[in-house]
Amino acid sequence: MAPRRVKPSLYISVDIEADGPIPGPYSMLSLGASVAGVQDAEGFRAADPEERTFYRELKPISAEFVPEALAVSGLDRDRLGAEGAEPVQAMREFTDWVGEVRAGAQPVMCGYPASYDWTFLYWYLIRFTGSSPFGHSGCLDMKTLYATKAGLPLRAVVKGTMPRELLSRRRHTHHALDDAIEQAELFANLMAWPGPSRP
């Protein structure tokens, strides 16, 4: 029996900054993405995370915001209201960018943790473009990946307790592109990591 052909996955590290806990009442203010690498039947190959990137700042979609959430990114809602991209334009440009970098592979969003960023990203894609280049489930959570490889309960996982060699040397700045690049390096390290050495 011939081996089943595996379609490659292109992993794209995504980070978003938002002004509240959920999309709709609150707004995604910036979106950063970095190609982390590709995986096929031969294995995973890391990419230079600075080589293929995407970044946009977006106009808010409502007047509501949570001051503590806004303070995390340091973004100025008034400035974004005047200078930010219209969400429909930003999400179309992002979809086009994913189409350019995917090169025949299936794009997979990866994040740390993916749940928050995916919630905003998927909602915005469907709301403003009607579709998602990742489908409805093409996301991978780095926190879950680490917990599985390390044999730990998910809620026990925090970056500060990970082996140092897994972490990027870049600072986590809460600038969406900086953090997408940092997390692309973490993802590549996790994919190459065999797990903790056992006595």
Side-chain angles (χ1 to χ4, degrees), residues 13-36:
S13 171
V14 173
D15 186 81
I16 68 100
E17 298 297 331
D19 61 13
I22 57 170
Y26 304 103
S27 306
M28 177 165 68
L29 301 179
S30 64
L31 165 63
S34 163
V35 173

Side-chain angles (χ1 to χ4, degrees), residues 14-23 26-29 69-70 72 109 111-123 141:
V14 173
D15 186 81
I16 68 100
E17 298 297 331
D19 61 13
I22 57 170
Y26 304 103
S27 306
M28 177 165 68
L29 301 179
L70 185 61
V72 170
M109 176 271 192
Y112 186 99
S115 52
Y116 181 76
D117 303 88
W118 174 258
T119 298
F120 274 88
L121 180 66
Y122 185 71
W123 189 94
D141 177 39

